[in-house]
Amino acid sequence: MTCRDAIDILADYVDGAMPAELAAELERHLAGCEPCRAYLATYRKTGMLGAIAGRVDMPAEMQTRLRRFLSEQLRRA
Ligand SMILES: [Zn+2]
């Protein structure tokens, strides 16, 4: 699993809407990947996941900006 894969499925993981097998695979990635752990912690703290997953009403432009912000954070981590 790549970091990109992990981030794509983090929303489902936090929601608990993920098959146990896939969750286990994600956890294996997280165990060895500090940036992704930090990413997950940030998501949980800020509650931004809903916005990323499109589950919260947010203008498209803001979603784009938020995604860009988050991917910059990840690059820096
Ligand atoms: Zn990673």
Side-chain angles (χ1 to χ4, degrees):
M1 181 179 291
T2 66
C3 291
R4 177 56 57 193
D5 292 335
I7 285 155
D8 279 348
I9 60 175
L10 273 181
D12 289 341
Y13 177 70
V14 172
D15 278 356
M18 177 181 287
E21 213 174 285
L22 189 56
E25 207 180 307
L26 177 60
E27 277 162 7
R28 267 199 302 277
H29 178 87
L30 290 171
C33 187
E34 172 69 33
C36 281
R37 279 204 303 275
Y39 207 58
L40 177 61
T42 302
Y43 271 149
R44 282 191 161 136
K45 212 183 321 177
T46 58
M48 278 198 268
L49 268 178
I52 297 294
R55 285 168 195 147
V56 172
D57 266 349
M58 185 182 274
E61 194 210 324
M62 201 184 287
Q63 285 191 33
T64 304
R65 243 185 284 158
L66 187 55
R67 281 203 193 87
R68 199 173 305 145
F69 168 77
L70 288 171
S71 57
E72 275 165 20
Q73 293 299 307
L74 180 64
R75 261 202 301 279
R76 219 173 285 149

